Structure formats: C-alpha cells, structure tokens
Amino acid sequence: MRWLERASTMGNMHALFQLASMHYDGVGTLPNLTKGVEMLKEVAGTTDPVFQYLIPHAHYNLGMASFMGFGMKQSDEVAEHYWLLAGKEGDPDGSVAAQSQLGMFYTRRDTKDVKKAFYWHYFAAENGSLESKGALGVMYYRGIGCAPDKELAFKSLCEASEQGSLFAQGNLVVYYYESRLFTRAAHCAWSVAQTESLEEAAEKSGCLIEYIRRGVALGCFYYARCLYTGKGVQKNENEAHKYFAKAMATCSETSAELNQKLKNDEL
C-alpha cells in the first residue's frame, strides 16, 4: 500500500485507482468510503493521456457509489450521469459494466424506459456482457423495447446459456415450455434447478447474484410444473411440491409472478 501511495503522489493514476478501491472496500486498511470517492473523482478528472483508459471505470464506480448512497449522497440522477459518461454511447472502450448497469437501470419502475434499456443491453452484450446478453434474449422474446424476434431471442439465450448464465438458462426453459417443447424444457429446467450455491455460481460465472436467483427460480418452478403435469417428464406430484418450494425459497418475487400466471391460466 505504501508503494501505491508513493506512486499516486507522483501522478500514477493507476496506483490512485487501486488505492481508491482499497479505501472504499476496506482492503488492507480501514474502510473510508468518502476518501475512496474523492480518489475516484481525481482519477476521473485526469488529463494525462496515459491514463485515459481508467476514466470510464472511475465513472462507473462513482455511479455505483451514488446509486447505493455509499460515500456520497444517494441520487439516481447523479448515478445515471456517471454511468452515461462511463458507457461512452456503447463504445467498446467504455465501461461494459456501466453499459449493462444502464440497461438494468432503465428497467426499474422509477426510471423505466424500455427503449433505452434495449439500447444499452444491446451494446453491453455486443461488448461482452453475459448479463446483458441474457437480458437481450428476454427483450427480443417479449418485444420489450424492440420488435419481438423469437429467432434472435433464441440465439441470445443459447449463447449466454453456453457461457454459463443461469439467468439465460432459466429463460431458455421458458422459451422451450411456451414453444411446447416440453421434453427440452424439463431437461433444461432440471439442470438449472440442481444449482445449490448461488454464491458459487456467481463467483464462477461473474454474474450478478440477483440475476442468478431469478434464473434458478425459473428453472425450479418450470421443472415443478413439468413434474406436476407430466409434461416432458414422468408425473410426480410429491417431487413437484419440493421444486415449487425451492423456487419460492430462491426468489419469492419470481415465484409469486409465476403463481399468478398459473391462477390466470397463462402458464
């Protein structure tokens, strides 16, 4: 840490960026969120051409600090401002994390704009975001912020699934089930439903745990539905109840939405 401090005083923004992260997260020192934020602002303001690549990452982290209200006042508007700077209009040199975050930000109830959500998830997916590739598949499938396109939906969901996205795998189950490909739906759902540790899955894939939670809940619920009705798998109501319960325990919000669909005869 002392080496980083010396290097940062000599204008090394990379060292300063690392120090900011250490102070913010309390790594090797006591947590100091305010100090971490101030250091990030200094990195974001650098004019040194050698360290321009750090600016989008600093802006992304400042956006997260503002969004969470950690180290600075909570503000959706300020968070959006920083993420837009970091996203660089979808440029690959921008922060892909910020691009994906903007896609999520514009699907929230209070900041909803589905066209903007599609725009940012599209570019984030193009730039390598596994999270956004799965989200893009759902948007194509449901026609959210774009015209419905089942072919592109299937392509995006398959690609993200193959790369380890449980969110995409869970939504691929939905695709198969609603396409009446029940054997494929049951097989895929069973595979997703075997996930035991969400934390380990997050660490392995690099995906957000909330997305993993939703994907696993989808897998559990649809596998339970297949077991209960005997579609694509041998009927077993006792086993079905176990997976219905696991879906609820994994993500109560997703499970509640699916139960409502059952009541409305939509599933």
Side-chain angles (χ1 to χ4, degrees):
M1 188 167 181
R2 288 179 181 176
W3 178 87
L4 291 174
E5 289 172 342
R6 285 198 300 270
S8 67
T9 60
M10 297 171 65
N12 187 320
M13 290 295 109
H14 184 77
L16 186 62
F17 184 82
Q18 286 185 283
L19 279 173
S21 299
M22 293 173 74
H23 281 291
Y24 197 87
D25 296 328
V27 177
T29 184
L30 292 174
N32 189 329
L33 304 182
T34 303
K35 188 172 184 178
V37 164
E38 291 307 312
M39 288 179 167
L40 285 172
K41 287 181 177 179
E42 188 175 343
V43 174
T46 185
T47 57
D48 190 330
V50 175
F51 298 109
Q52 292 298 295
Y53 71 95
L54 287 171
I55 294 176
H57 303 294
H59 281 149
Y60 167 70
N61 285 316
L62 286 168
M64 290 302 298
S66 179
F67 185 68
M68 301 298 293
F70 294 160
M72 58 195 303
K73 183 180 179 181
Q74 197 288 324
S75 171
D76 285 356
E77 292 78 11
V78 173
E80 180 184 18
H81 168 72
Y82 278 124
W83 287 334
L84 287 169
L85 289 174
K88 297 182 70 173
E89 299 183 344
D91 193 289
D93 290 334
S95 165
V96 178
Q99 293 164 6
S100 187
Q101 191 66 45
L102 283 164
M104 299 176 212
F105 181 77
Y106 291 125
T107 56
R108 295 170 67 242
R109 184 182 303 171
D110 296 337
T111 52
K112 196 166 189 176
D113 187 323
V114 294
K115 289 187 181 294
K116 288 183 179 180
F118 178 82
Y119 173 93
W120 285 107
H121 275 312
Y122 175 84
F123 282 107
E126 286 288 299
N127 294 331
S129 170
L130 191 55
E131 228 97 49
S132 285
K133 187 167 285 188
L136 197 63
V138 175
M139 298 183 88
Y140 276 130
Y141 187 54
R142 299 298 182 194
I144 301 170
C146 62
D149 191 321
K150 290 189 71 175
E151 186 176 338
L152 285 175
F154 184 67
K155 181 175 181 289
S156 293
L157 290 173
C158 283
E159 288 179 355
S161 294
E162 289 169 2
Q163 292 173 42
S165 168
L166 284 165
F167 176 76
Q169 290 170 27
N171 279 284
L172 193 57
V173 169
V174 179
Y175 180 97
Y176 286 140
Y177 191 92
E178 293 185 355
S179 299
R180 303 187 66 78
L181 300 170
F182 297 121
T183 301
R184 286 189 183 183
H187 177 76
C188 188
W190 176 86
S191 179
V192 175
Q194 302 317 299
T195 304
E196 294 299 333
S197 172
L198 303 183
E199 290 77 14
E200 285 182 13
E203 185 176 349
K204 183 178 179 180
S205 66
C207 292
L208 294 173
I209 199 163
E210 184 55 36
Y211 270 60
I212 291 172
R213 195 183 304 281
R214 294 180 197 176
V216 173
L218 284 171
C220 290
F221 194 96
Y222 275 88
Y223 186 57
R225 184 64 179 159
C226 288
L227 285 167
Y228 193 81
T229 59
K231 290 179 178 177
V233 68
Q234 186 174 348
K235 187 172 182 176
N236 188 328
E237 292 187 12
N238 288 334
E239 196 71 4
H241 288 307
K242 293 180 184 178
Y243 281 99
F244 277 131
K246 185 174 181 179
M248 177 61 75
T250 302
C251 183
S252 58
E253 183 180 355
T254 297
S255 188
E257 290 171 0
L258 293 171
N259 274 312
Q260 189 60 50
K261 282 190 173 185
L262 274 180
K263 291 179 182 177
N264 297 340
D265 292 324
E266 296 172 357
L267 194 152

